[in-house]
Amino acid sequence: MISHEIDYKIIGDDIQVVEIELDPNETVIAEAGAMLFMEDGIQFETKMGDGSEANQSVMGKIFQAGTRLLTGESLFMTHFTNRGVGKKKVAFSAPYPGTVMPIDLSKIYGNELIVQKDGFLCAAMGTSMKIHFNQRFGSGLFGGEGFILQKLKGDGMAFVHAGGVVMEKQLNNETLRIDTGCVVAFEQSLSFDIQRSGGLKSMVFGGEGMFLATLRGTGRCWIQSMPISKLIQRLSAYGPNSRKESGSVIGGLGSLFED
């Protein structure tokens, strides 16, 4: 598998955009609706599948596209190709505030990266996108990532978006416990699971949730400071339907007994 070689630039701080420069006949694939702008000469087509397998059968394309529905993504992907003369640019923006992570898959263990189900933004043509089933029942049920993740495979550039600030951690036969939902991506050499956050008192009153995500082994992982689920939860506390006493201990306990 040989991916197209693309040049890129990350623009912005808190709400980032990735601007990709394509040589003639180079292609980048992206989630439907992610395009911000494209220069004259860029043509786009909406297709089933990522196009990484040129000789894939029609049924194979339908099956691959159908599996994307399990991750909550669109059935189709958009292919942007430079059909003009000279270099042309196309830009993509994330669906919510956060960080765009450029990742060179050729430098990832096994050329495969496991990504949260809604984390993919765009990638060089030749990158394969498949679903990755989390085989551990506990991590699928309580881990915030679900049973189904995305697996990116290739040797070119891929771009993943995350909420808030992103931290890269290198584990060397170590264990790292993370707030559930804050895991953006990790190398396949790491094992993903969940565990209780502590005793019953800590689980109920500690404010850290009942479970924590756990990564074990040797490899790299990426963590986001503000996943979209947590952002929505925090903002909803200040909405018109929120109660003034919800910030107090008594109000918090009272909410436990609501229908």
Side-chain angles (χ1 to χ4, degrees):
M1 182 187 303
I2 301 178
S3 301
H4 289 193
E5 296 182 9
I6 58 175
D7 299 317
Y8 71 93
K9 179 171 65 173
I10 303 296
I11 302 173
D13 297 315
D14 299 326
I15 304 177
Q16 294 187 329
V17 171
V18 56
E19 183 183 79
I20 295 178
E21 187 176 71
L22 299 176
D23 291 328
N25 297 317
E26 281 187 341
T27 300
V28 60
I29 60 174
E31 284 292 348
M35 190 271 293
L36 178 63
F37 73 82
M38 57 182 177
E39 294 182 342
D40 188 31
I42 300 288
Q43 295 183 5
F44 67 93
E45 295 180 89
T46 301
K47 300 181 179 181
M48 285 189 177
D50 51 43
S52 59
E53 299 178 30
N55 299 321
Q56 190 177 31
S57 65
V58 175
M59 289 303 297
K61 292 180 180 179
I62 293 175
F63 175 77
Q64 183 186 48
T67 57
R68 284 175 47 78
L69 293 178
L70 296 176
T71 66
E73 302 293 351
S74 170
L75 185 65
F76 300 93
M77 297 190 69
T78 310
H79 297 225
F80 296 85
T81 305
N82 180 4
R83 300 298 187 191
V85 178
K87 296 178 181 291
K88 301 295 180 180
K89 295 178 180 178
V90 57
F92 304 95
S93 60
Y96 52 85
T99 303
V100 176
M101 300 164 40
I103 297 177
D104 187 350
L105 293 176
S106 67
K107 299 179 180 179
I108 297 296
Y109 177 84
N111 297 147
E112 292 184 356
L113 185 69
I114 310 302
V115 181
Q116 64 176 355
K117 63 182 181 180
D118 60 348
F120 174 75
L121 183 61
C122 59
M125 180 68 173
T127 303
S128 170
M129 286 185 56
K130 297 181 179 179
I131 61 173
H132 175 77
F133 288 100
N134 199 330
Q135 298 180 357
R136 295 179 182 271
F137 177 79
S139 58
L141 190 60
F142 302 109
E145 298 295 319
F147 285 110
I148 302 172
L149 306 170
Q150 290 181 328
K151 176 163 52 176
L152 305 181
K153 183 175 182 179
D155 56 5
M157 292 300 303
F159 300 88
V160 175
H161 66 83
V165 177
V166 174
M167 297 178 60
E168 178 181 332
K169 302 286 288 184
Q170 172 68 51
L171 303 184
N172 297 300
N173 196 25
E174 296 171 301
T175 297
L176 185 66
R177 293 188 294 174
I178 309 164
D179 185 15
T180 57
C182 289
V183 179
V184 181
F186 56 93
E187 293 182 310
Q188 63 171 345
S189 57
L190 295 175
S191 173
F192 176 75
D193 199 359
I194 65 105
Q195 63 178 214
R196 294 191 308 174
S197 58
L200 180 60
K201 183 178 179 180
S202 298
M203 292 170 65
V204 175
F205 301 105
E208 301 300 330
M210 299 180 67
F211 299 94
L212 294 175
T214 303
L215 288 170
R216 292 187 177 91
T218 299
R220 287 182 291 169
C221 66
W222 290 262
I223 305 168
Q224 59 187 344
S225 65
M226 184 58 69
I228 185 63
S229 58
K230 182 180 289 187
L231 177 62
I232 293 173
Q233 182 182 19
R234 295 294 176 88
L235 291 177
S236 64
Y238 300 96
N241 296 324
S242 63
R243 298 187 178 183
K244 293 182 179 180
E245 71 272 19
S246 61
S248 67
V249 175
I250 296 177
L253 290 176
S255 64
L256 295 175
F257 300 98
E258 293 180 348
D259 293 333

